[in-house]
Amino acid sequence: AQVDPVVLFDAPVQKKVTDRATDIEKTIKREVVKCQTLIIWTDCDREGENIGYEIINLCRPLKTGLKIYRARFSEITYDSAVRALSNLTQPDERVSAAVDVRQELDLRIGAAFTRFQTLRLHRLFGFDSKQIISYGSCQFPTLGFIVERYLQRENFIREPFWKITVEHQTDNNEFCEFTWERNRLFEHQPCLMIYDMIMDEPLARVMDIKSKNKSKWRPTALDTVEMEKLASRKLRMTGKKTMDIAEKLYMKGLISYPRTETNIFPSEINLNPLVQNQISDQRWGTFAQRVLNDGPRPRNGKNTDKAHPPIHPIRYPDGQLTDEENKLYELIVRHFLACVSKDAQGDETTIKINIANENFHASGLIIRERNYLDVYIYDKWSEKELPHYELNQTFYPTKIEMIQGETSPPQLLTEADLIALMEKHGIGTDATHAEHIAKIQERLYTKMNSDRRFEPEKLGLGLCEGYDKMGHALSKPYLRAELENQLKAVCEGRANPAG
């Protein structure tokens, strides 16, 4: 309480080894003096590069002429270790410097602003003295997305609309429902006039019948953001839980490195052994054999971080997994097998009819080849068979109705929606999205309701609205996105970390 928050903006930053890591520090110091070469084997991301330089800065003063190399790897396997040792590189100081910049900015801004905000609001509103009302340059924009969607929903004004539906039951008792090409009208009288004209001359004529091949694309290779979204939607896991479990699977050597922005399989990865590992499983082994017979052909995306491949299974479990570990491993395996198989194929038929100069249409689908759908239980593609119609055929519909409805407000955000927005606006990284979402719940800024959608708490809503009314766009994504762009420039050598 004696420290002015403003002082924290300029206070010197000190880095020190934590008490629980002192034994590790002693071991590294003891061993390095016996060595001629130091190889950094930390994770191959920004944070891993920064930890590597902490080790380098600890060792370099203790050993003159120490040779230092960086091992680049993405999975904990013998082959991966051999490849890394055969292709040692130099550690990248620019990437480490970018992490130092981010850490210092987050520390200074977070510590100073959190202290100011906490002390101020404690005095004004008498919060529990133990409650920290934190500010983080990623936390607040994340909260801002939730508040913005909540206010859109609260302020939404429903509008009435009217539409016309047509149903036909054939002589063979086959049913078909036709959709109005206008979709809907927001004025009652024009819709009623059109409906009356249709009812005066309700004879329908088939104007067009088109059939074409239809493909349902298999999923692209799996990156971290997509894994978090899928686990949230399909397994009802939080992002933090997903990453914790993925880390355990990685440490057991079951999957590749789970923190990656890459959804392109590099050509040097041999996919056949990875598929071969899965053929003994009763759930998807038969499908894996089909993939081997046809040859794995991955559907790649467009992104690569040039550090790690997409998330994929490395080997089949030889021990017991927990229920949650098994669910996530299953999702990763099924996604991988679907990605390297074939798109589903079908035939889509569209029938257009005209009644009193108003157009309606119906669409049907027949699935010819399920392909990836046989293993990817998370996607659905439903068949809808249409009755047989001939061009210029006429018929009287069984039912013609004018239906009233009203527009619906946007849904509150799910965790998958929130992660997608963070990714789109550059808030955090694939490695930190889950942490930021967990933090704003821990701070009582937001909560997840019974439908697993986010609602702002009074404190979170008040903070966002309060700063907005003061003209400070702290809950908007622009500031953090700009910082992420500048950090990327530091990593690529286009910006000076000191500037």
Side-chain angles (χ1 to χ4, degrees):
Q2 303 300 317
V3 179
D4 185 339
V6 175
V7 174
L8 297 175
F9 281 108
D10 299 311
V13 175
Q14 296 180 350
K15 278 191 174 185
K16 56 181 286 189
V17 178
T18 60
D19 291 340
R20 65 179 183 177
T22 51
D23 287 344
I24 299 173
E25 179 190 23
K26 290 176 183 176
T27 301
I28 292 174
K29 285 182 174 180
R30 183 183 68 241
E31 295 300 323
V32 74
V33 295
K34 309 173 190 175
C35 303
Q36 302 301 318
T37 303
L38 171 66
I39 302 176
I40 301 299
W41 284 88
T42 51
D43 289 337
C44 298
D45 55 13
R46 284 187 192 174
E47 282 66 28
E49 207 72 10
N50 189 254
I51 295 169
Y53 265 91
E54 289 179 351
I55 298 169
I56 291 169
N57 293 334
L58 182 69
C59 295
R60 193 175 263 154
L62 301 175
K63 184 73 174 183
T64 304
L66 183 67
K67 296 177 182 178
I68 300 171
Y69 298 100
R70 179 69 158 103
R72 304 282 177 188
F73 62 100
S74 58
E75 55 195 50
I76 304 176
T77 63
Y78 176 81
D79 290 343
S80 178
V82 170
R83 275 198 306 271
L85 281 171
S86 301
N87 297 278
L88 293 174
T89 64
Q90 290 298 306
D92 194 332
E93 194 166 9
R94 299 172 303 178
V95 173
S96 178
V99 175
D100 286 334
V101 170
R102 179 185 58 75
Q103 288 178 346
E104 183 169 342
L105 283 173
D106 285 350
L107 176 63
R108 290 190 184 282
I109 296 170
F113 210 83
T114 294
R115 190 170 182 79
F116 166 75
Q117 189 170 255
T118 301
L119 294 173
R120 177 71 174 165
L121 294 180
H122 278 181
R123 285 198 298 269
L124 288 176
F125 301 108
F127 286 109
D128 184 335
S129 60
K130 295 181 180 178
Q131 183 174 356
I132 297 174
I133 306 172
S134 64
Y135 170 81
S137 57
C138 286
Q139 287 177 41
F140 257 52
T142 303
L143 174 63
F145 293 132
I146 295 170
V147 169
E148 182 177 36
R149 178 58 64 87
Y150 172 80
L151 292 176
Q152 286 174 353
R153 184 174 173 83
E154 288 293 300
N155 298 328
F156 186 84
I157 299 174
R158 295 176 183 268
E159 290 186 77
F161 64 80
W162 292 263
K163 63 180 182 179
I164 298 171
T165 62
V166 173
E167 297 177 6
H168 180 225
Q169 189 165 355
T170 69
D171 295 338
N172 297 326
N173 289 322
E174 294 176 304
F175 177 81
C176 188
E177 184 174 357
F178 293 88
T179 302
W180 195 17
E181 298 245 318
R182 294 180 189 265
N183 189 20
R184 60 190 182 184
L185 295 179
F186 286 94
E187 293 185 35
H188 176 262
Q189 195 60 35
C191 190
L192 181 60
M193 290 173 61
I194 294 170
Y195 175 72
D196 286 342
M197 287 191 295
I198 289 174
M199 295 307 292
D200 285 344
E201 298 182 44
L203 183 66
R205 179 181 295 275
V206 178
M207 306 300 292
D208 191 23
I209 301 174
K210 284 185 178 176
S211 293
K212 63 178 181 179
N213 293 334
K214 181 83 170 178
S215 295
K216 186 170 178 63
W217 290 351
R218 63 198 187 278
T220 55
L222 188 64
D223 60 24
T224 302
V225 169
E226 190 61 27
M227 179 179 70
E228 288 177 323
K229 292 193 293 185
L230 280 171
S232 175
R233 289 176 181 143
K234 308 301 182 182
L235 306 181
R236 299 175 72 84
M237 282 185 188
T238 65
K240 187 174 188 310
K241 172 68 75 175
T242 299
M243 294 311 299
D244 288 346
I245 295 171
E247 195 72 32
K248 291 176 182 176
L249 294 174
Y250 168 66
M251 294 304 293
K252 292 179 179 180
L254 295 176
I255 65 170
S256 60
Y257 189 62
R259 301 179 190 276
T260 177
E261 298 174 12
T262 300
N263 57 13
I264 301 172
F265 275 107
S267 57
E268 61 266 21
I269 288 187
N270 185 357
L271 299 176
N272 282 292
L274 302 176
V275 178
Q276 178 74 39
N277 290 340
Q278 302 298 328
I279 62 173
S280 62
D281 191 282
Q282 294 182 348
R283 293 164 292 180
W284 53 73
T286 302
F287 187 87
Q289 187 61 60
R290 279 167 50 188
V291 172
L292 281 178
N293 295 341
D294 295 335
R297 297 181 183 86
R299 179 176 172 232
N300 288 322
K302 298 179 180 179
N303 301 320
T304 177
D305 56 17
K306 298 180 181 178
H308 304 290
I311 302 166
H312 60 274
I314 299 298
R315 63 178 179 85
Y316 193 75
D318 50 13
Q320 191 69 26
L321 298 179
T322 67
D323 184 52
E324 289 180 326
E325 287 173 347
N326 189 61
K327 285 181 180 177
L328 187 61
Y329 180 77
E330 178 178 350
L331 184 146
I332 292 169
V333 172
R334 289 186 183 276
H335 192 101
F336 169 70
L337 292 175
C339 167
V340 299
S341 62
K342 297 178 180 177
D343 298 335
Q345 301 294 332
D347 296 313
E348 184 181 62
T349 300
T350 302
I351 299 171
K352 292 186 179 181
I353 64 170
N354 184 278
I355 312 174
N357 293 321
E358 288 297 313
N359 295 318
F360 299 82
H361 68 269
S363 295
L365 175 71
I366 301 297
I367 299 174
R368 287 185 285 105
E369 300 174 26
R370 288 182 54 81
N371 293 333
Y372 88 92
L373 291 171
D374 285 334
V375 74
Y376 203 63
I377 58 178
Y378 316 105
D379 265 4
K380 304 297 179 189
W381 206 27
S382 300
E383 286 193 317
K384 180 183 177 184
E385 194 162 351
L386 295 178
H388 179 74
Y389 290 97
E390 298 284 350
L391 192 63
N392 293 318
Q393 175 184 342
T394 59
F395 61 88
Y396 285 98
T398 311
K399 184 191 290 186
I400 302 174
E401 284 187 312
M402 187 173 86
I403 299 172
Q404 182 177 348
E406 61 179 13
T407 54
S408 301
Q411 292 271 33
L412 295 171
L413 296 177
T414 64
E415 185 161 12
D417 298 331
L418 187 54
I419 290 170
L421 285 170
M422 295 171 75
E423 173 75 2
K424 177 182 177 181
H425 292 279
I427 303 303
T429 67
D430 58 322
T432 61
H433 291 150
E435 295 172 19
H436 299 314
I437 294 171
K439 182 62 71 177
I440 59 175
Q441 293 178 84
E442 179 187 317
R443 293 289 186 237
L444 303 181
Y445 294 164
T446 186
K447 65 180 179 182
M448 190 177 279
N449 65 19
S450 58
D451 295 327
R452 298 184 63 78
R453 294 181 181 274
F454 285 107
E455 294 179 1
E457 298 272 25
K458 288 183 180 179
L459 177 57
L461 184 62
L463 286 170
C464 286
E465 290 195 303
Y467 285 122
D468 282 349
K469 287 178 181 177
M470 286 189 283
H472 303 307
L474 298 182
S475 64
K476 304 304 179 190
Y478 322 121
L479 289 174
R480 185 65 195 197
E482 177 58 28
L483 173 60
E484 291 293 340
N485 287 333
Q486 291 175 352
L487 292 178
K488 187 175 181 181
V490 171
C491 289
E492 295 171 355
R494 294 183 288 108
N496 183 349

